[in-house]
Amino acid sequence: MSVRRLAPDSVQPASFAFSAENKVWLAAQIAKYPEGRQASAVIPALWQAQKQAGGWLPKAAIEHVAECLGMPNIRVLEVASFYTMFNLEPVGQYFVQLCGTVPCHCMGAQDLKKVLKEKIGHEHHVSADGKFSWLEVECLGACTNAPMVQINDDFYEDLTAETLAKLLDDLAAGKPVKIGPQNGRSKSEPKDSIKTLLDGALYDGSKVGSWQGDFDARVAAAKKAKEEAAAAAEKKA
Amino acid sequence: MTKILVDDVEVDVPPHYTLLQAAEAAGMEVPRFCFHERLSIAGNCRMCLVEVKGGPPKPQASCAMNVRDVRGGPDGSLPQIFTKTPMVKKAREGVMEFMLINHPLDCPICDQGGECDLQDQAMAYGKDASRYAEPKRAVEDKYIGPLVKTVMTRCIHCTRCVRFTTEVAGITELGLIGRGEDAEITTYLEKAMTSEMQGNVVDLCPVGALTSKPFAFNARPWELAKTESIDVMDAVGSAIRVDTRGREVMRIVARTNDAVNEEWISDKTRFIWDGLRSQRLDRPYVRVNGKLQPATWAEAFAAIAAKVKAAQPGKIGAIAGQLAGVEEMYALKALLASLGSANTDARYPGNPLNSKAGRGSYLFNATIAGIEEADSLIIIGANPRKEAAVLNSRIRKRYLKGKFPIALVGENANLSYPATYLGAGPESLAGYKPAGEKPMVIVGQGALNRADGAAVLAAAAKLALEIGAVKDGWNGFCVLHNEASLVGALDIGFTPGEGGLDTGAMIGGGVEVLFNLGADDIEIPAGSFVVYQGTHGDNGAHRADVILPGAAYTEKSATYVNTEGRVQQTVRAAFPPGEAKDDWAIIRALSDVLGKTLPFNSLGQLRAALYAEFPHLAALGTIKAGEAADVEALAKLGGVPDKAAFKNAVEAFHLTNPIARASKVMGECAAIASGAQAQAAE
């Protein structure tokens, strides 16, 4: 992570206001909280503003949210600058978030990074056609399908350098793309032997639950020892 | 009350006390950065870790745990905490090491050096060497106004400044943006803060991140002589410490006085000191052929004596300005009396406050600490934020506790708390009826300094009686003064005596010789012979025919009575410049030349006479309460106020007196403040 600031004035739009639809939506969000606690809706409001503004939060949007919720500007800026999912600078039409945390890293996220650098350029940079920008982020929670990227709202998993390059090309060309694993899996099932759950050994107690036998034996032994001790004490008496 | 053992010392403290407060009650010192008694608890510095017996096996932040949350032993033994065990020491050393990872070791060039909490605590808990080999963090400095200098790399993110500005000052402008290592304190888009109390963040900052901009690189704390004194910038009488080097006042900082200013002071109080150096009158002047010429004391006195002897006794008068102490007003009144004149006044034209009506008629009767007991408030013709910024923060403190409806009559303004606006003029008072047992009525000077001031004062007193603000055990009728001298002047009767003229009559051509004791805010038309005694070449000096250079409040021991009637004394921290003298001594010397020698040769003798006549002035630090009957008498006076809108007494907070007008820093602040107002009006 690095210091996050508002984007330079040259790229800031002059104004921002929620659309009529979003205004209705925001009123419903605010209604979820008690009277006078409308500031609680700041994160959803910022998120909606980010969506409306094209994937990032301009200064005008932050001020508009502050006005809508009756908060001082600095309080909204604090929230917007704290959460890294709020982009403070413009992003491409397709905003690629590359997971670079350990499982993805082990499974080849570095190769994906090279592809992104080649195809889009460095981080925090929108490609010339305005279609792409990318960012390395922390774990997105799809470790069983590592490595992966998130493009806008969707996960694209089980990537290789080749499949990612093709994915980006397809998106650029406007072709339909498949969301989810890109290596033939449908979810996070094992790739080759999808019938592992049919293995009888899972259910006969030899693999799963084998601790139960040991435990029962130890409990029985303890019980027996206690009874013997009680019997011996009785005898003495 | 709950008993708890702190390092084997048993203390009995309220259950809501934090462990840190309990430890202090037991006499143990607990280091801290983020905890502050008058701010909310953040618990983010972790320096105050202690060990709790029977608690979790890890150190606890003592500022964030209450005494009631610590359990006793199963055998009925008392709950116990430890502040000096090896575990505690090791934990604090760990915290300190983390804190120093990103803190620059630039103490030799840091203004906080010598009075830095981090420095002090590193002496106890710091390691001699660093284990940190990586590059240190560096943070860009932020602009947050002309008063507070920032060196943000030094910031340890205690957030005291954020909590102070939000809670006490009532401006939500400072914030902590980003997070973790990249967290930064800033104002929104680096705008200047707009509070009149912002200077307090300098005192609050435990490191050198926020320091005083005007004081930057001027002096080290250990080379300053420290004098505990009283502020006279407004009528609150905040406790201050004047730090001097040689004869220069280098800075002014706050002292704690829970009854008055807690530990806050306004920016005008804190940053006025550069005004004490410029525009000073350091020798007498006499106007010769229309031009002021430097003169000796003897020449100046001779010029005055010639005029006084030529004038009828009834044609001699004296007015006193807002910075005059009780002693010099007493001496001046005695001199006028010996000359046979009863023309003395310290009030603005039209102001109805009167010594004869009793103390209850002109004091802030509820007292400043009493604001916290009130349960409703109406402010009439005042903007306490500008007229008494520290008192205003006390109102805000009460407001934050809840159930405190505030109404405002006069100019509508942002007071840093919401107020119901009733209207602009006296007629808006009709129908005001708050619920509650202890209502409070604040009447500002803006409501009184007008032709119908007496009627307004009577109407306010009547309102106070009607809503039950004056009863047994509670007097909520409060006159808010904005000038340090006025209550003292009223106390000693520096008002027109039998057949005497008031300020309006005196400046309206009623007198031939006018002694002007530092009144710079009243325009004196041409015609009379004006003797100006004061400290700065301000409006009063420009109009004068003879100028006698006096001493400023940091240069003399003088008594001031604050708006609630509390008698306090300033202490001399430095000497007046050049030939300037103590004000009472000038009047005493002049009386000799006029052949009416006053009966005291020293300040002690003067005070003995003063105290004999007005015994309550001898009781420093205390209040002789006003009578409820005075308010009742006021209400009976009646009169019909006209419908003109109230106009606040203070327009520009930063420029209310000659010292402030001579201060460059205050000028800069005033320019920014008026710019901010213009923006808000658009």
Side-chain angles (χ1 to χ4, degrees), chain B residues 135-153:
Chain B
K136 284 196 174 208
R137 178 194 64 148
V139 183
E140 291 165 59
D141 293 342
K142 310 287 187 296
Y143 174 80
I144 60 173
L147 299 178
V148 182
K149 182 186 166 195
T150 64
V151 183
M152 297 319 283
T153 304

Side-chain angles (χ1 to χ4, degrees), chain B residues 533-594:
Chain B
Q533 180 176 335
T535 54
H536 284 71
D538 205 67
N539 307 337
H542 294 158
R543 169 63 189 85
D545 295 293
V546 175
I547 293 175
L548 305 176
Y553 70 109
T554 51
E555 295 152 6
K556 63 186 173 191
S557 171
T559 305
Y560 290 89
V561 188
N562 80 353
T563 187
E564 47 174 0
R566 191 178 300 277
V567 184
Q568 305 187 100
Q569 246 170 30
T570 61
V571 178
R572 169 179 281 168
F575 285 92
E579 294 174 38
K581 299 272 185 287
D582 261 5
D583 291 273
W584 76 268
I586 296 171
I587 296 164
R588 164 66 179 74
L590 178 61
S591 72
D592 209 22
V593 176
L594 297 177

Side-chain angles (χ1 to χ4, degrees), chain A:
Chain A
M1 227 183 100
S2 57
V3 175
R4 283 154 47 83
R5 295 275 165 79
L6 292 178
D9 284 343
S10 53
V11 301
Q12 293 283 0
S15 65
F16 175 92
F18 275 126
S19 61
E21 205 173 282
N22 279 340
K23 265 185 193 149
V24 174
W25 173 89
L26 183 63
Q29 295 299 313
I30 292 174
K32 288 179 181 174
Y33 306 102
E35 186 87 28
R37 296 272 186 259
Q38 70 276 17
S40 303
V42 65
I43 292 179
L46 281 172
W47 188 246
Q48 200 72 4
Q50 171 160 311
K51 272 189 183 167
Q52 188 185 318
W56 70 291
L57 278 174
K59 185 180 106 188
I62 289 174
E63 286 166 10
H64 183 66
V65 167
E67 195 190 326
C68 288
L69 300 177
M71 293 169 75
N73 291 339
I74 183 75
R75 290 283 165 270
V76 182
L77 180 65
E78 282 178 335
V79 175
S81 64
F82 183 92
Y83 293 103
T84 50
M85 282 169 78
F86 293 126
N87 298 306
L88 299 181
E89 49 204 1
V91 296
Q93 183 191 345
Y94 298 103
F95 175 49
V96 183
Q97 299 180 69
L98 167 75
C99 173
T101 310
V102 177
C104 282
H105 187 96
C106 295
M107 296 300 285
Q110 292 309 303
D111 297 339
L112 304 188
K113 203 167 171 177
K114 272 182 210 145
V115 173
L116 291 171
K117 268 188 188 159
E118 259 166 43
K119 292 232 166 221
I120 304 174
H122 56 82
E123 275 183 289
H124 301 287
H125 161 85
V126 183
S127 60
D129 57 3
K131 286 212 160 155
F132 292 100
S133 65
W134 74 280
L135 205 60
E136 181 175 335
V137 299
E138 298 307 324
C139 186
L140 288 169
C143 309
T144 48
N145 295 61
M148 59 79 69
V149 299
Q150 180 183 346
I151 301 179
N152 293 348
D153 292 341
D154 299 311
F155 278 13
Y156 297 85
E157 301 151 317
D158 295 320
L159 291 165
T160 60
E162 293 74 35
T163 50
L164 177 62
K166 183 169 178 302
L167 180 66
L168 295 178
D169 289 343
D170 287 353
L171 285 171
K175 288 186 199 163
V177 293
K178 177 179 174 281
I179 295 166
Q182 304 291 314
N183 65 347
R185 290 205 280 180
S186 76
K187 300 272 164 25
S188 57
E189 72 279 11
K191 186 165 182 300
D192 301 317
S193 50
I194 57 168
K195 292 187 177 173
T196 43
L197 293 180
L198 299 177
D199 187 350
L202 287 176
Y203 310 107
D204 62 4
S206 61
K207 265 188 180 168
V208 178
S210 59
W211 58 272
Q212 189 74 44
D214 295 352
F215 183 76
D216 291 346
R218 260 185 287 152
V219 171
K223 200 176 169 192
K224 200 177 160 196
K226 210 174 171 186
E227 281 169 3
E228 275 172 8
E234 211 167 274
K235 226 179 203 176
K236 242 184 194 171

